[in-house]
């Protein structure tokens, strides 16, 4: 038994359930899998749902090992007829044992569920928070930008240059050819990389890139990713060292030999469907992203206009106009014009704040979704040009060799028999290589299946983006309304001061 839940020993029955439904120590249990466990334990659905609700505090739709143990303790209470509550668990000195038969059946159900289980966007979002901020530029003759990278999952902050990201990205692609890896933002743009606008754009791009990698269920636990997010010194040297022994995921993933059993039977058709849907979807999201950028530019432009307008009001008040407007009332009006100009500056400030909200909430979400979709498209293309092409070439080669062998077998000469024996040996080697290629192809299909589930989760970003759109516009309009309401009474007073008879 292990001390893992509120200082209380974990009953062996809990550990047996975890081993059955997470045979590869996945540390993740989805809702449906847990409900299968509760059904096998003969617990009422209402009690099972209550147990899940109490254990899934983050509302992510999945539990880690300790979360599962918490939920199992709650349904064990239900088996005893006790109240399903955290308070009841805390009151007890020991965790109640769970009565459960036929773990093999549960294991098969979990295996089947893994074929169709999905991640929730909230679960991925809660798994990591990455923040990339611009640090102080360093260098004697040639300055370069440093980035401070914070990882909540690893509780670490490290300093990185753009040149650190390049070998990191290269190594990830070498190890994970059939996983989504977004493109790094460009090193330079338009012949320069020192302009503040470009530096900020690249910072945001690096943050989105690391956020996706840091939340990816497979990539986030890789030694390369953990090292990049935690090791402060000589990161390029450490990446080179890790690259020496790096292998394609196929050779190290324990599910690779039987990956074909872990995908739906119609997965080939699904891949074709994904390939046909992606281009149009990418084009639509790209256009939405461009519109969002226009929105930000419009908001920024309005802030510039109001700031310029305010400056010209100050200039107007400072211009001698006594003969034109009347000396005494123009002196008084000058004071009001300065007040209005200052308040219009506040209107411009609200516009600046609105621009940042739109950039963070709308543009970044659309950029992230777009980059993931393009990454998935790149994955499908790598697969088509890689293992799929190799399988096709291998099949053609085998067909040609079998035809040659058939012709030799039909001949009765000694020379032909010798050639046939040599060709048969070669065919046996080709067949063994073909079998491995078939297994690699199955694994690539399995990876595509897993990544397609991530894409499904990331569709939530459309909703998140629209939520941010509504929120930012509502907030922005409220703040602008409040700012203009402060301007209005001063302007009304200005009108009263100017609109008088007499010319003094």
């Amino acid at each position: 038994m292990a001390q893992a839940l509120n200082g209380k020993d974990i009953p062996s029955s809990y550990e047996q359930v975890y081993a059955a439904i997470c045979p590869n120590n996945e540390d993740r249990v989805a809702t449906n899998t847990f409900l299968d466990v509760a059904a096998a334990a003969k617990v009422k659905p209402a009690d099972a749902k209550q147990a899940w609700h109490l254990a899934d505090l983050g509302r992510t739709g999945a539990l880690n090992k300790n979360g599962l143990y918490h939920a199992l303790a709650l349904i064990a209470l239900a088996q005893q007829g006790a109240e399903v509550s955290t308070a009841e668990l805390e009151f007890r000195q020991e965790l109640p044992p769970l009565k459960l038969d036929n773990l093999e059946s549960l294991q098969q159900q979990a295996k089947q569920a893994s074929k169709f289980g999905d991640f929730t966007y909230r679960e991925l979002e809660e798994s990591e928070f990455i923040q990339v901020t611009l640090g102080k530029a360093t260098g004697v003759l040639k300055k370069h930008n440093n980035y401070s990278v914070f990882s909540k999952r690893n509780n670490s902050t490290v300093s990185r240059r753009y040149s650190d990201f390049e070998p990191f990205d290269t190594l990830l692609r070498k190890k994970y050819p059939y996983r989504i890896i977004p493109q790094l933002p460009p090193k330079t743009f338009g012949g320069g990389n020192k302009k503040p606008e470009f530096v900020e754009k690249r910072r945001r791009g690096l943050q989105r890139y690391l956020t996706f990698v840091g939340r990816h269920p497979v990539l986030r636990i890789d030694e390369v990713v953990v090292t990049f997010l935690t090791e402060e010194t000589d990161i390029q040297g450490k990446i080179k060292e890790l690259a020496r022994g790096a292998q394609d995921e196929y050779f190290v993933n324990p599910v690779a030999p039987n990956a074909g059993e872990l995908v739906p039977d119609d997965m080939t058709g699904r891949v074709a469907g994904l390939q046909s849907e992606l281009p149009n979807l990418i084009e639509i999201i790209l256009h939405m992203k461009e519109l969002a950028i226009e929105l930000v530019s419009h908001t920024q432009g309005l802030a510039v206009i109001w700031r310029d307008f305010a400056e010209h009001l100050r200039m107007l008040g400072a211009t001698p106009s006594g003969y034109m407007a009347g000396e005494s009332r123009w002196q008084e009006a000058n004071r009001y014009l300065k007040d209005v100009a200052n308040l219009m500056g506040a209107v411009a400030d609200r516009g600046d704040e609105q621009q940042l909200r739109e950039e963070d909430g709308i543009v970044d979400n659309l950029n992230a979704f777009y980059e993931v979709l393009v990454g998935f498209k790149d994955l499908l293309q790598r697969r088509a040009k890689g293992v799929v092409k190799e399988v096709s070439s291998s099949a053609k080669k085998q067909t040609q060799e079998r035809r040659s062998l058939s012709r030799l077998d039909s001949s009765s000469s000694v020379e032909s028999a010798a050639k046939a024996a040599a060709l048969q040996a070669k065919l046996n080697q080709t067949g063994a290589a073909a079998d491995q290629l078939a297994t690699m192809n199955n694994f690539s299909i399995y990876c595509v299946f897993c990544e397609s589930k991530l894409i499904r989760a990331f569709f939530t970003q459309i909703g998140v983006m629209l939520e941010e759109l509504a929120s930012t516009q509502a907030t922005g309009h409220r703040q602008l309304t409040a700012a203009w309401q402060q301007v209005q009474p001063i302007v009304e007073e200005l009108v009263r001061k100017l609109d008088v008879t007499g010319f003094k």
Side-chain angles (χ1 to χ4, degrees), residues 366-422:
L366 283 170
N367 262 323
F369 189 44
Y370 173 77
E371 289 161 1
V372 170
L373 289 176
V374 171
F376 190 51
K377 180 184 176 183
D378 292 344
L379 156 60
L380 294 177
Q381 289 176 341
R382 285 197 302 274
R383 180 175 174 271
K385 294 177 181 178
V387 68
V388 173
K389 187 176 180 180
E390 290 178 23
V391 167
S392 177
S393 298
S394 175
K396 289 178 181 177
K397 186 177 181 181
Q398 280 187 297
T399 300
Q400 292 171 351
E401 289 176 347
R402 287 194 183 99
R403 287 173 181 169
S404 299
L405 182 61
S406 179
R407 287 195 296 269
L408 289 171
D409 285 342
S410 64
S411 175
S412 58
S413 68
V414 175
E415 183 181 357
S416 296
K419 288 182 178 179

Side-chain angles (χ1 to χ4, degrees), residues 36 39 112 152 155 164 241 245 260 344 395 409 416 463 483 492:
D36 287 340
Q112 185 67 19
K152 183 179 179 181
N155 191 27
D164 297 328
E241 185 178 337
M344 289 188 75
D409 285 342
S416 296
E492 290 173 352

